[in-house]
Amino acid sequence: MAEEVLIEKWPGTVSSVTIGALKNEGGSRSAIIKVGGQKTLPFLFKEGQIPNKPVVAFEIWDISPDDWHPELIKEYGTSLKDPVVWAEKCVNDHKAELLCIKLQGAHPDFGNKTAKEEAGLISQLLKKVSVPLIIYGCGDNEKDNEILPACSEAAKGEKCLIGDAVQENYKTLTAAVLADGHNIIAESPIDINIAKQLNILISDMGLSLERIVINPTIGALGYGLEYAYSIMERARLAALSGDKTLACPFICFIGQEAWRAKETKVEESQQGIIWEQVTAIALLEAGADILVMRHPKAIEKINSHIQELFGS
Amino acid sequence: MALSGLDIYKLLPKTNCRECGFVTCLAFAMQLAKKAVSIEKCPYLSPESKEVLEESGQPPIKLISLGTGEKKMDLGNETVMFRHEEKFRNPAAIGFIIDDSLTDEETGKKVGEINKLAFERVGQKLDVNLIALRQNSTKENFIKVLKKILSSTDLGIALMTKDTPTLEEALLLSKDRKPLVYDLSGKHQECAKLCSKFQASMVVSGDSLEAIGKLTKEINSLGVTELVLDIGKKPLKDKLWDITQIRRMALKKSNRSFGYPVLVNAENVDPYKEAAEAATFISKYASIVLLSGHKTWEILSLLTLRQNIYTDPQKPLQIEPGLYPIGECNEKSDCLITTNFSLSYYTVLGEVEASKIPTYILSVDTEGMSVLTAWAAEKFTPSKISESINKFGVKDKVRLNRVIIPGYVAVLSGDLEEQAGLKVVVGPKEAAGIPSFLKNL
């Protein structure tokens, strides 16, 4: 007797977000990235369509990240001193498909770079590398409201992904993203209700839900990973059950969290790499669509894992 | 799957005879659903209904125990698909495959290293569970290595034999250790006979779900009921599909043929690849994960993931309350106060470390509640906080005569100043504001 498999019929679909615009689309990217679009839980290919692979973005900074783990600094070497060189190294040496430029240097405590400086950097990056771009603020609301609209304008038509919009501060960024044709990251601190609420607020301003990516904020392996894991599973189940306001892809800042773990601060370089890798693997199972990561080896391992999952 | 009170009611005689001690059959059914009474109390139950009710009383995924003493492990008995619904109950056992081609010395060394794979994280002990000995050569060799393993570890044992005479002798040697029989000969009938004789649990392997379902029925009929399912060697996505189906069929369809813990062999010479597969199946439904590598950095990351996934979502992880110096603290260092909810503590810790300003963190015992929850539940009150300040000697170590409380509980500052006899500074609402707050203090 054949065992009958159990197929769930999900009425909902995760929205599909496109990052990057080609030359004939008003941008200058050589390739674009699509995420989302799933009609089932992670990697259950026999149940529903999974049109797009999860993707890794290399995290780069506008200033030299002096407090990064020595293993990461060793890996990127002097390229860290110049964001453009760093970006080129990611693309040329490590075959990065997507970059996430964090504008840490704009933070009042880390150099207080001006909007003009940051917008200049974005223009230069867009000129020197042809992969799609995630533009990520410094986390200081006031400062992000100055620099992100300027960067958005500098990247007009390139369909970047820009963040974070937060519950108390989403209007300025939403307006800029709307005006310049980008996508937005909506951050909700491990809270499904805030995620939903913020998505509604942003879409009420006219930016469609198909241009929002949720940053659920994550904890690293051993540091609250399970909270994000379950929040993501719950949100994804709600999305597949038909809640459109939660049906956005997830972006997870894996590298930033994993390399903060006490466990990585040991001599064996493998410990940090595997910490970043295992954090990513678990969150892929919870539904992560974009993984922002740091160590090239961890990224290589995750890419090959994704490849294996999607292999024929 | 557990039946509801109403489902059970439909199976009862509905005569309200009261002989069970309840006023109505419905009342009795409700108590049955809560497992508060036994079905034996109803003298008029039809045999068919009795069978259904007894069946529904069984856990949908059978509980299997392996190993003995401190290393005894319970597997299975899971009740949900997602950990936010209810705690995943029995953490996946982590096992290591050892080939019988090793010399005595090599075996001793490897087992010794595996024995040492134990860690402590957030007050919990994390350790590994199993050694799986795999036959590649003669019976004599296998038995020799098995003897060495049995004498060098208390860990659980799995026997990956290639012929039944070897298995029989191995079981004779190891039967007191409650081993897992993972026979690779394909002679499942002979193997089941031995498992039945030695009361051992048996792995059932099959290439397809259909094959597994058929085999479990057959082996059950041979008298072996302690089974573990092996989804075999196949592409990662197919393994993920099969293991998800097994869990769904057991939980949602009460399909007994699949109501057993599942084993995944993730062995790979590349430790990163091995960890990737192991992490996938620790997250998704494996009860036993077998590895070949045993490097500390690989195992620590996997055991930590297992700890995370199997944490009770209703009972947050706590840290030991206390005063923690972060960085090179001295008497001029400030003291931030937070709860002993591990996530609150680690978030504050992360920001203090990022600030590079040596600072104490006082973790107050709030029974694992976060700042606002604990405040609302009166576990984070001026008196509780000043109790902790005294208990952990904050005034002796922090000579600035001031402490910093989370911005969300600014309302506590007046009373706390009075009760603790210290100046209270209101910190930022979100931990992310800590570095700049400390810098400008």
Side-chain angles (χ1 to χ4, degrees), chain B residues 8-258:
Chain B
I8 296 170
Y9 175 67
K10 287 176 195 152
L11 299 167
L12 297 179
K14 305 190 197 80
T15 51
N16 298 338
C17 72
R18 301 190 181 201
E19 282 182 46
C20 59
F22 293 90
V23 184
T24 61
C25 288
L26 183 61
F28 179 56
M30 292 301 168
Q31 294 305 309
L32 277 175
K34 280 197 265 173
K35 298 193 178 16
V37 288
S38 146
I39 50 168
E40 309 297 332
K41 294 265 184 200
C42 177
Y44 306 108
L45 203 59
S46 70
E48 298 80 44
S49 296
K50 195 170 172 187
E51 198 186 325
V52 174
L53 286 170
E54 274 173 351
E55 181 91 337
S56 81
Q58 305 276 330
I61 297 175
K62 198 174 166 83
L63 178 71
I64 305 288
S65 295
L66 300 175
T68 51
E70 264 186 47
K71 296 294 180 186
K72 175 174 179 275
M73 69 206 95
D74 288 336
L75 308 171
N77 199 20
E78 300 297 343
T79 55
V80 292
M81 297 298 296
F82 300 99
R83 60 177 294 285
H84 61 262
E85 300 172 272
E86 201 192 309
K87 182 184 193 290
F88 282 4
R89 297 185 178 187
N90 293 305
I94 305 291
F96 300 90
I97 297 173
I98 291 185
D99 279 315
D100 67 354
S101 48
L102 296 188
T103 64
D104 221 37
E105 198 185 330
E106 286 165 340
T107 310
K109 184 168 172 277
K110 196 158 181 181
V111 174
E113 284 164 2
I114 292 169
N115 280 335
K116 281 194 207 131
L117 293 169
F119 312 90
E120 204 183 298
R121 289 197 85 256
V122 278
Q124 284 184 354
K125 203 176 159 219
L126 309 182
D127 52 14
V128 298
N129 311 90
L130 265 176
I131 288 182
L133 177 58
R134 178 165 55 195
Q135 184 174 19
N136 272 329
S137 58
T138 60
K139 176 173 147 191
E140 287 65 37
N141 247 341
F142 187 87
I143 296 301
K144 195 176 94 201
V145 180
L146 177 62
K147 280 183 179 161
K148 178 73 186 176
I149 291 172
L150 289 172
S151 67
S152 7
T153 186
D154 296 330
L155 291 171
I157 305 290
L159 304 165
M160 301 174 80
T161 47
K162 283 205 170 131
D163 60 70
T164 26
T166 308
L167 178 60
E168 181 158 19
E169 194 164 335
L171 277 167
L172 259 174
L173 275 171
S174 62
K175 61 179 189 294
D176 297 337
R177 300 277 291 263
K178 281 218 80 187
L180 175 67
V181 171
Y182 187 179
D183 188 68
L184 308 170
S185 70
K187 295 178 181 155
H188 48 265
Q189 291 189 347
E190 289 171 42
C191 180
K193 271 183 210 145
L194 287 174
C195 289
S196 170
K197 181 176 166 193
F198 290 99
Q199 299 276 301
S201 307
M202 176 172 165
V203 176
V204 174
S205 308
D207 286 337
S208 65
L209 291 172
E210 211 175 329
I212 292 174
K214 209 171 133 222
L215 258 182
T216 55
K217 282 191 201 102
E218 186 185 335
I219 289 166
N220 265 320
S221 70
L222 295 170
V224 184
T225 55
E226 306 259 303
L227 305 180
V228 171
L229 311 181
D230 167 24
I231 49 176
K233 281 201 168 66
K234 52 175 73 113
L236 197 55
K237 65 174 177 183
D238 294 335
K239 283 188 178 177
L240 197 56
W241 176 254
D242 284 1
I243 203 166
T244 306
Q245 281 299 324
I246 287 173
R247 182 89 152 220
R248 281 186 185 172
M249 286 196 272
L251 295 183
K252 299 191 171 180
K253 292 261 167 163
S254 306
N255 187 334
R256 293 278 160 214
S257 310
F258 294 99

Side-chain angles (χ1 to χ4, degrees), chain B residues 57 113 136 151 192 197 275 289 293 298 324 334 338 350 359 386 400 405 419:
Chain B
E113 284 164 2
N136 272 329
S151 67
K197 181 176 166 193
V289 176
E298 178 189 352
Y324 296 91
D334 264 297
T338 188
T359 307
S386 52
L400 290 169
I405 60 170
Q419 291 190 28

Side-chain angles (χ1 to χ4, degrees), chain A residues 1-8 10 40-47 66-67 107 109-110 189-190 219-227 229-230 233-234 237 260 262-263 265 268-271 273-275 277-278 281-282 285-286 297 301 304-305 308-312, chain B residues 82-84 121 209-210 213-214 217 235-238 240-242 244-245 248-249 252-253 255 257-258 270-273 275-277 279-280 283-284 296-298 300-302 304-305 308-309 311 316-317 341-343 346-347 349-351 353-354 356 435-436 439-440:
Chain A
M1 187 192 78
E3 298 291 348
E4 205 182 317
V5 291
L6 266 170
I7 305 276
E8 302 269 5
W10 302 106
T40 180
L41 291 165
F43 316 121
L44 299 184
F45 297 93
K46 291 179 190 170
E47 181 161 274
D66 297 330
D67 63 346
H107 196 285
D109 294 344
F110 295 92
I190 329 184
L221 178 62
Y223 295 85
L225 172 93
E226 70 274 24
Y227 296 95
Y229 183 94
S230 282
E233 282 199 329
R234 283 175 56 201
L237 286 168
R260 257 163 54 163
K262 196 173 74 193
E263 284 78 359
K265 291 175 181 137
E268 280 163 320
S269 62
Q270 297 101 325
Q271 187 70 77
I273 297 170
I274 207 164
W275 213 258
Q277 183 207 3
V278 171
I281 298 270
E285 285 303 319
K297 186 159 182 185
K301 297 292 171 186
S304 91
H305 179 72
E308 203 186 330
L309 279 166
F310 276 76
S312 50
Chain B
F82 300 99
R83 60 177 294 285
H84 61 262
R121 289 197 85 256
L209 291 172
E210 211 175 329
K214 209 171 133 222
K217 282 191 201 102
L236 197 55
K237 65 174 177 183
D238 294 335
L240 197 56
W241 176 254
D242 284 1
T244 306
Q245 281 299 324
R248 281 186 185 172
M249 286 196 272
K252 299 191 171 180
K253 292 261 167 163
N255 187 334
S257 310
F258 294 99
D270 175 350
Y272 292 101
K273 241 177 137 82
E277 179 162 347
T280 301
S283 306
K284 291 294 174 196
T296 309
W297 48 271
E298 178 189 352
L300 175 61
S301 67
L302 294 176
T304 305
L305 178 63
N308 284 168
I309 296 292
T311 296
L317 272 188
F341 173 39
S342 68
L343 194 54
Y346 285 119
T347 311
L349 175 70
E351 296 301 337
E353 283 177 346
K356 298 213 160 64
S436 59
K439 211 166 272 181
N440 299 317

